[in-house]
Amino acid sequence: MRFQLLGPLALADGPDVVVLQPSKPVILLAALLLHANSTVSADYLQRAVWGEDQPATARAALQTCVLRLRRLFTKHGVTGTSIEAVPGGYRITAGPPTLDLLGFRDQVRRATALVRDPEAELYTLKDALSLWQGSLLANVRSDVLHRDEVPRLSEERLRAVERVCDLLLGLGRCGEALVDLWTATRVYPGHERFHEQLIEALYRTGRQSQALAEYRRVKGFLLDELGVDPSPSLRQLELSILRGEDLGAGGAVRAAIEPAPASAPASAPAPGPGAASRVIQGAAVPLPAAAPGAGPVPAVPHFTGREAEAAAMAARLTAPPPPGADGQRPLTVLVSGAPGIGKSALAQHVAHLVRDSFPGGRLLVRMTRADGHPRTADEVAAEVAAALGPARAGERALLVLDDVVDADQVRPLLTPPELAVVVTSRMGLGGLIATHGGWVHRLTAFTEAESYALLLAALGTERVEAEPRAARQLAALCGHFPAALRILTARLLTRPGLRLGDAVDWLGDDPLARLTLTDSPDHSVTGLFDRALGRLDPRLSEAFLRIGAGPPELLGESIKTDGAQNHPPVPEDVLEQLADAGLLEDGPPGPYRIHDLLRAHLRRTVRIRNRRTEKV
């Protein structure tokens, strides 16, 4: 059993995660875990639970909370961790394997020891950052903890993110750093070090005008909102760009790849350029891991369903690779399906299930850039070779190639006999399977039972089972579509007091508009579908809009409408291409189908487009 603090407070047992519902015992647990292995005074715990205005019975009520926590531990089978009463307060014991916060700090310490090997340090830091799963302590209602503890933890994460970006810049991987930096500068607009890194990355990728525009933007923000000038390092960076100086990997970011001074203690985190940054304004908001590149496979919070697929994939990946015409070929498993259907989550979940079978490492590689364009096979091959490194040569490794666009991206990577490969793609990639073999798992929407299980795992048993009918209605409104369910649960977790029955009415008014995260607009059902349509050939996109906005019979035989107008069926080859792209559910021999949410989005898109073209 593992405690998860780096997000909503939760208990995890392997892939099963239970997010604890807001309560006073949960506040107590959070306060103890934040100071694991240390004595926490009863006075501090009382302030954390009840605030500054404590009831007269706070001391006795604290003891009751401890008893309730111990019963909670028994209920969920927590062993090896207990709450001890010690002189002056209480203490909970934990270690890196049982508390993600300690695991994160342990990985950061390991990264510090690798300061002479920037690739290894980068890999270790990315592994540490993958432990962060969402907004810190979103289900812990304590003003004291959010005031005193959350900013401190957020600063630990920010320093790790800064260091990762410094390493990427120092290694010349500026394009890879850009995606994280665009997000970081918008979430933390007053954090000047992120702006420095972004401006440098833009300049070094040949975008001088954008770099200068970004400098002007942050300068205006600092002056207008905070009344301060940019830092000397930011002003010097602007001057270097205006002069056309070559910053290079050894210029402004040399500290990122040079070893720490000999006098620095080995156990202390490397300060890096971010240690002296001015953090003027910020919030405990996680940065999405969307940058392309190779890195450790992150865990998937609240993973549920797909039991048959996960078991079959794990069995195939841990079996010996089958022989091929040229000797041993790598084992290939393809996970395909619609955008947002859960392909990446399944692949990452299985990668964690089989981790003991791959001592050479497990690597996640994003195969598309932030703008949706595919990365080249040569670029990915070089990145994989650098990430796995010579130390892992000969050991079996697992490669997860996420969001593959076509077979040509993959074929050059299917050579080392010790490599197993999981490919996720919206495309069917039949040509790849025909030439290289492998197994295919095509995913569809969840069953009702799987949707309900996801709500239980994400929202907690008490909240869901108090309103089971409303929970099932919410799942139905989401069309049992995994991405929609994930967005819904994220919204509900930020509103723990909202009844599920009230959420049904709220969501039912306009599901497409409500299935979005207001603080992260990129995480929305409409955005997901828009990006999918943007990848299509324009002719396919037009055909798909016609299908979605027209009558269902467009997927079948010719029909007669209004007694006169013929609606011929869409050509079979077009339907096949749309099905291969994951946008139509399987057929023939049965009819092709469009998921209800996707059909609603297509109809809305057509209505908006028609309004824009109407003559006034």
Side-chain angles (χ1 to χ4, degrees), residues 211-241:
L212 292 172
E214 182 65 19
Y215 174 82
R216 290 192 295 271
R217 195 190 69 79
V218 67
K219 179 181 179 180
F221 170 83
L222 294 171
L223 288 172
D224 295 343
E225 300 294 328
L226 306 171
V228 298
D229 291 319
S231 64
S233 56
L234 256 178
R235 296 199 298 271
Q236 180 59 48
L237 181 59
E238 182 208 22
L239 186 59
S240 297
I241 294 172

Side-chain angles (χ1 to χ4, degrees), residues 27-270:
I27 298 174
L28 172 62
L29 177 61
L32 290 169
L33 290 172
L34 286 165
H35 302 277
N37 306 315
S38 300
T39 297
V40 186
S41 71
D43 288 341
Y44 178 80
L45 293 173
Q46 288 167 206
R47 287 201 310 276
V49 175
W50 286 280
E52 304 301 335
D53 298 325
Q54 302 167 30
T57 58
R59 184 58 61 97
L62 184 65
Q63 295 173 352
T64 301
C65 287
V66 171
L67 292 175
R68 289 176 61 187
L69 271 185
R70 288 170 176 161
R71 286 198 293 269
L72 180 72
F73 285 9
T74 301
K75 174 184 175 182
H76 290 287
V78 177
T79 58
T81 300
S82 60
I83 300 173
E84 306 172 74
V86 295
Y90 294 89
R91 179 176 60 211
I92 193 169
T93 55
T98 56
L99 177 58
D100 60 358
L101 174 60
L102 298 182
F104 169 75
R105 289 171 174 166
D106 184 61
Q107 286 288 81
V108 171
R109 281 193 293 270
R110 291 173 185 268
T112 303
L114 297 168
V115 70
R116 294 181 183 273
D117 185 348
E119 287 282 4
E121 183 184 359
L122 177 64
Y123 185 93
T124 305
L125 280 176
K126 284 187 173 183
D127 203 20
L129 288 167
S130 72
L131 295 172
W132 291 72
Q133 299 295 328
S135 296
L136 279 172
L137 305 184
N139 55 338
V140 177
R141 297 177 177 173
S142 169
D143 292 339
V144 171
L145 295 184
H146 282 275
R147 181 194 67 202
D148 298 342
E149 303 292 344
V150 167
R152 177 173 56 84
L153 292 181
S154 297
E155 180 61 22
E156 290 187 52
R157 183 178 186 278
L158 286 177
R159 290 191 179 190
V161 173
E162 283 181 13
R163 184 64 179 167
V164 163
C165 293
D166 273 338
L167 286 165
L168 288 171
L169 292 173
L171 292 165
R173 291 154 64 175
C174 302
E176 191 175 330
L178 275 175
V179 176
D180 278 343
L181 288 169
W182 279 122
T183 305
T185 53
R186 273 54 184 171
V187 175
Y188 302 96
H191 197 299
E192 290 185 74
R193 179 58 192 157
F194 284 146
H195 288 287
E196 287 181 40
Q197 292 170 320
L198 174 60
I199 292 167
E200 180 176 335
L202 287 169
Y203 177 62
R204 289 173 59 192
T205 52
R207 296 150 76 174
Q208 180 179 12
S209 60
Q210 279 187 268
L212 292 172
E214 182 65 19
Y215 174 82
R216 290 192 295 271
R217 195 190 69 79
V218 67
K219 179 181 179 180
F221 170 83
L222 294 171
L223 288 172
D224 295 343
E225 300 294 328
L226 306 171
V228 298
D229 291 319
S231 64
S233 56
L234 256 178
R235 296 199 298 271
Q236 180 59 48
L237 181 59
E238 182 208 22
L239 186 59
S240 297
I241 294 172
L242 291 171
R243 290 172 174 170
E245 295 176 1
D246 180 12
L247 299 181
V253 294
R254 184 176 290 123
I257 57 175
E258 288 186 347
S263 58
S267 60

Side-chain angles (χ1 to χ4, degrees), residues 303-325:
F303 186 89
T304 56
R306 312 293 191 202
E307 292 181 4
E309 293 91 341
M313 287 176 62
R316 286 163 178 163
L317 290 169
T318 53

Side-chain angles (χ1 to χ4, degrees), residues 237-501:
L237 181 59
E238 182 208 22
L239 186 59
S240 297
I241 294 172
L242 291 171
R243 290 172 174 170
E245 295 176 1
D246 180 12
L247 299 181
V253 294
R254 184 176 290 123
I257 57 175
E258 288 186 347
S263 58
S267 60
S277 302
R278 291 192 293 170
V279 183
I280 303 171
Q281 178 177 322
V285 180
L287 303 181
V297 180
V300 181
H302 318 312
F303 186 89
T304 56
R306 312 293 191 202
E307 292 181 4
E309 293 91 341
M313 287 176 62
R316 286 163 178 163
L317 290 169
T318 53
D326 302 323
Q328 291 289 321
R329 282 190 181 274
L331 179 68
T332 305
V333 176
L334 168 64
V335 184
S336 64
I341 206 68
K343 303 179 293 295
S344 301
L346 175 61
Q348 293 171 31
H349 173 66
V350 171
H352 278 269
L353 292 181
V354 301
R355 57 185 175 273
D356 293 338
S357 298
F358 294 94
R362 295 162 294 121
L363 205 61
L364 174 67
V365 184
R366 314 280 182 186
M367 300 297 287
T368 53
R369 305 183 189 281
D371 59 6
H373 286 85
R375 306 174 69 209
T376 66
D378 289 344
E379 175 187 359
V380 172
E383 198 169 78
V384 169
L388 290 178
R392 296 181 174 91
E395 293 185 332
R396 198 160 185 239
L398 176 63
L399 198 60
V400 179
L401 303 179
D402 190 40
D403 200 13
V404 167
V405 174
D406 57 52
D408 288 339
Q409 280 187 298
V410 179
R411 288 192 178 99
L413 301 171
L414 302 182
T415 49
E418 67 276 6
L419 198 64
V421 180
V422 176
V423 173
T424 76
S425 179
R426 299 172 188 180
M427 309 302 294
L429 300 184
L432 178 70
I433 299 301
T435 58
H436 285 73
W439 287 269
V440 179
H441 295 273
R442 188 170 179 89
L443 303 185
T444 58
F446 276 162
T447 64
E448 291 185 14
E450 287 175 324
S451 296
Y452 192 79
L454 177 79
L455 294 177
L456 284 172
L459 301 177
T461 303
E462 293 94 344
R463 189 174 183 184
V464 173
E465 293 193 344
E467 300 178 80
R469 183 171 177 272
R472 290 187 172 88
Q473 288 176 303
L474 287 171
L477 286 169
C478 290
H480 305 288
F481 200 71
L485 288 164
R486 293 282 183 187
I487 292 169
L488 172 68
T489 55
R491 295 208 68 170
L492 292 176
L493 281 171
T494 63
R495 298 179 180 180
L498 180 65
R499 292 180 61 255
L500 299 189

Side-chain angles (χ1 to χ4, degrees), residues 538-568:
R539 291 171 296 177
L540 279 180
S541 179
E542 284 300 313
F544 195 44
L545 286 169
R546 175 188 163 216
I547 293 170
E553 292 83 352
L554 278 178
L555 294 174
E557 308 232 342
S558 298
I559 63 168
K560 197 90 164 172
T561 303
D562 297 330
Q565 186 180 4
N566 279 320
H567 291 265

